[in-house]
Amino acid sequence: GGPAGLTAAIYLGRAGVETKVYDPAVPGGMVFMVHQIENYPGFPDGISGRELAAKMEAQAKRFGAEIVQVGVKKVYREDKEFKLDLTDHQELMARAVVIATGSNPRSLGIPGEQELLGRGVSYCATCDGNFFRNEDVAVIGGGDSAVQEALYLSQICKTVYLVHRRDQLRAKKILEQRAADRENLRFQLNSLPQEIIGKDQVEGLKIMDKDRGKEQILKVTGVFIYVGMKPETDPVKGLVELNPDGFIKALENTRTSVPGIFAVGDVRGKPTRQVASAVADGCNAALAIEEYFLEYR
Ligand code: NAP
């Protein structure tokens, strides 16, 4: 149900292929949680993730794709077709399957993270940022997600500490520059998160200076964690080949090791994770499926 899956559905529906999109959540995937998307072409003033997701869903429906709010537990190969076990205990047979399950936020694994989840610890600034209005918060990570969400939080919160384990960010320069320009956004570099402190609510984040080994506690009421993504491959684990990082092995034509199964978007092993590249994957999968139908008539 994210941009990759919905794009495949737009193209397949338009090509007259009977297409069903299964997603237990509201369509949109990770995009649904993004406050503002500024680098997707066609929207010079930016667009909220929710609005973009809704537009993609409407476009897929317009071409006949059916959006079903049910999950897929497992995909099995049965001769030249596939059997899908659905979370509502139904089964479905399909001639081709597009895996567009995306990836989920990685956890840090430090003390306090699980215990205080939902009580100050969050993986979604757009969803939870408002609870921390005029308060001090920390964002952990140095990639695009961490910096983008720290920028968002800096509009709501009093102070945002961007805690990163190295002395250089991984994020794009344009985001880094914007963060550097925000007065209430402070870079806390070379800092290793040690523990999230608090009894019933987050009261602080203990960090350690990587070079000097010195510990300090940032007095924050919110800790937002953006330390990368974990691919959601459960439905096809053991069926398609994965790369060593756990993403599905597939080239740009999105064909996996199993003919008839295609992988698109953030679940596919690839260097770029953007809405635009997810959309490209969806388009490639739909075209590859049309070719596949001709090959396996
Ligand atoms: P990412 O690029 O993998 O960055 C993860 C960050 O977390 C890195 O800075 C990493 O540090 C840090 N990290 C990882 N494990 C850690 C640990 N145990 N302790 C402390 N820090 C840890 O993940 P992402 O930012 O979620 O981005 C994922 C993909 O989405 C990227 O391809 C990104 O370009 C894309 N994206 C794009 C946009 C945009 O274009 N606007 C927005 C969001 C995401 P190191 O740097 O030291 O490895």
Side-chain angles (χ1 to χ4, degrees):
L6 290 174
T7 304
I10 290 168
Y11 272 75
L12 288 166
R14 197 163 173 271
V17 178
E18 189 189 337
T19 305
K20 290 183 194 224
V21 180
Y22 285 89
D23 192 328
V26 179
M30 290 295 285
V31 158
F32 192 78
M33 296 202 280
V34 179
H35 173 60
Q36 190 75 355
I37 295 170
E38 289 186 329
N39 52 6
Y40 188 65
F43 301 94
D45 301 321
I47 182 164
S48 81
R50 279 178 195 210
E51 206 183 333
L52 184 60
K55 283 181 186 292
M56 290 181 176
E57 180 189 357
Q59 202 169 350
K61 283 181 175 163
R62 179 185 157 206
F63 292 118
E66 193 185 331
I67 315 276
V68 189
Q69 220 167 342
V70 167
V72 175
K73 276 200 292 201
K74 209 77 196 162
V75 179
Y76 302 93
R77 183 157 42 175
E78 285 200 355
D79 196 12
K80 277 186 184 170
E81 294 204 356
F82 300 95
K83 187 181 85 174
L84 278 67
D85 268 2
L86 307 176
T87 52
D88 64 356
H89 309 294
Q90 304 283 317
E91 284 177 5
L92 176 88
M93 293 304 292
R95 283 182 67 199
V97 181
V98 179
I99 306 296
T101 39
S103 45
N104 293 313
R106 256 183 215 291
S107 58
L108 254 179
I110 57 172
E113 183 179 11
Q114 286 308 315
E115 296 83 337
L116 293 166
L117 183 63
R119 288 185 286 152
V121 175
S122 168
Y123 301 89
C124 178
T126 315
C127 320
D128 301 328
N130 213 34
F131 297 125
F132 302 91
R133 194 161 281 277
N134 298 323
E135 296 182 14
D136 295 336
V137 300
V139 173
I140 301 177
D144 285 336
S145 299
V147 179
Q148 185 169 295
E149 301 310 310
L151 280 165
Y152 169 68
L153 288 167
S154 71
Q155 300 167 44
I156 303 172
C157 304
K158 196 162 122 207
T159 311
V160 178
Y161 297 95
L162 182 66
V163 176
H164 180 41
R165 61 183 176 183
R166 289 186 294 126
D167 60 357
Q168 275 190 339
L169 297 179
R170 178 180 290 277
K172 292 185 190 71
K173 284 289 163 230
I174 183 170
L175 291 174
E176 180 175 350
Q177 189 52 53
R178 272 192 213 162
D181 291 342
R182 277 292 152 86
E183 260 180 29
N184 63 339
L185 203 163
R186 304 205 183 136
F187 289 0
Q188 195 75 47
L189 301 178
N190 262 332
S191 299
L192 303 174
Q194 302 291 290
E195 183 183 352
I196 299 169
I197 295 163
K199 210 162 158 248
D200 299 318
Q201 289 285 327
V202 169
E203 291 163 27
L205 171 68
K206 191 193 277 180
I207 54 173
M208 186 174 78
D209 183 295
K210 202 167 90 184
D211 300 327
R212 287 175 291 162
K214 206 175 145 220
E215 287 187 339
Q216 65 161 309
I217 293 174
L218 298 175
K219 288 213 158 163
V220 291
T221 50
V223 176
F224 291 84
I225 299 171
Y226 288 100
V227 293
M229 308 299 291
K230 193 165 71 234
E232 180 52 66
T233 54
D234 282 354
V236 286
K237 226 170 235 164
L239 180 61
V240 304
E241 216 176 309
L242 305 181
N243 71 21
D245 298 333
F247 291 84
I248 298 177
K249 230 179 181 177
L251 294 176
E252 224 156 299
N253 63 17
T254 75
R255 287 174 183 248
T256 67
S257 58
V258 176
I261 300 188
F262 302 79
V264 296
D266 282 1
V267 77
R268 179 170 84 83
K270 58 177 182 168
T272 51
R273 307 205 171 272
Q274 303 286 312
V275 183
S277 58
V279 163
D281 272 10
C283 162
N284 289 344
L287 301 180
I289 285 173
E290 288 188 59
E291 275 174 26
Y292 169 78
F293 284 165
L294 292 176
E295 290 162 25
Y296 286 79
R297 215 191 277 268

